[in-house]
Amino acid sequence: PAEQVKVTYEAEDTDASWNASSATAVVLNGTSIEVLGGGATTSGSVLTITAAGGYVLSGTLDDGQIIIDADKKDTVRLVLNGVTLHCSNCAPIYAKQADKTILTLAEGTTNTVTDGDSYTYADAEAEEPDAAIFCKDDLTINGSGSLSVTGNFNNGIGTKDNLIVVAGAISVIAANDGLRGRDSVAIKGGGITIDAGADGIKSNNDEDTAKGYVAIDGGELSITAGNDGI
């Protein structure tokens, strides 16, 4: 029989605390973005984060992106503190490079991420990003707030490495897969509702025998899928 997978949840995965005084505040004003602090720059309705640390996002972005392009050793925490993000032709949240991105859903907040039904790929050769929330490296979701993701183009939430869900009320509607982590998907807790045109939860690394697994260690799942639930 196959050996049972034991997932190690690191302290930074389970820690949903954040300090407003030390974090960079990002205020989304429809078609513009205001940054109060360092580590990020803006160009119209695109925010680019280039340094490790915490970034607290609030407000509405009508048609734009949050891009993370930091060092490969950096951990970037995005605190979603009541945000509505939409991008008509790409991923509203796109972690191009970092060691890990942590999405913390602030207590008592509702957060919404939606994309359009066609993309202009940032990486055309790799056809990426391909999800409304997409990370090329590790992604962790924690916090007690809520997150609603609609992937009209392809996947809802996707990562090329490990996807960890620790907590939160998460709803995903996706044209293709709901949650997709190439190396792994691990769920420690939270309430997750998925409506997917293809697979609900998927890990698809078939090259490394230690990867390509889905681990359910807790939480409540409700999955409707056109193909496999998990």
Side-chain angles (χ1 to χ4, degrees), residues 90-94 113-115 119 130-134 149-151 155-157:
C90 202
I93 297 178
Y94 174 33
V113 178
T114 63
D115 62 10
Y119 272 24
D130 62 2
I133 297 176
F134 182 82
V149 179
T150 302
N155 302 324
I157 301 173

Side-chain angles (χ1 to χ4, degrees), residues 36-230:
L36 304 173
T41 59
T42 63
S43 176
S45 56
V46 175
L47 175 80
T48 301
I49 294 170
T50 56
Y55 301 82
V56 182
L57 279 61
S58 61
T60 298
L61 195 60
D62 295 337
D63 190 1
Q65 278 188 293
I66 309 300
I67 297 174
I68 296 171
D69 193 3
D71 188 86
K72 279 187 170 294
K73 296 180 180 180
D74 286 347
T75 296
V76 174
R77 182 187 296 270
L78 295 184
V79 179
L80 303 187
N81 192 28
V83 300
T84 299
L85 302 176
H86 174 72
C87 186
S88 61
N89 63 354
C90 202
I93 297 178
Y94 174 33
K96 180 180 179 181
Q97 180 172 283
D99 179 52
K100 179 185 291 184
T101 298
I102 300 173
L103 291 185
T104 294
L105 311 177
E107 181 179 2
T109 66
T110 299
N111 304 281
T112 303
V113 178
T114 63
D115 62 10
D117 58 8
S118 65
Y119 272 24
T120 300
Y121 289 121
D123 184 342
E125 184 176 352
E127 297 186 342
E128 292 172 353
D130 62 2
I133 297 176
F134 182 82
C135 295
K136 283 205 170 189
D137 301 290
D138 293 337
L139 171 64
T140 294
I141 302 173
N142 64 24
S144 60
S146 71
L147 173 64
S148 176
V149 179
T150 302
N152 290 301
F153 171 64
N154 193 40
N155 302 324
I157 301 173
T159 173
K160 296 295 290 291
D161 288 346
N162 303 299
L163 172 58
I164 293 176
V165 178
V166 172
I170 300 169
S171 173
V172 179
I173 299 173
N176 193 44
D177 300 332
L179 302 182
R180 182 168 176 168
R182 173 170 165 74
D183 287 350
S184 70
V185 178
I187 298 173
K188 181 176 175 62
I192 303 171
T193 301
I194 297 172
D195 187 346
D199 299 325
I201 300 175
K202 182 175 185 176
S203 183
N204 64 317
N205 188 330
D206 57 2
E207 299 171 356
D208 187 332
T209 57
K211 299 177 181 179
Y213 62 83
V214 175
I216 310 295
D217 293 320
E220 297 183 0
L221 304 177
S222 175
I223 300 173
T224 302
N227 294 333
D228 297 329
I230 300 175

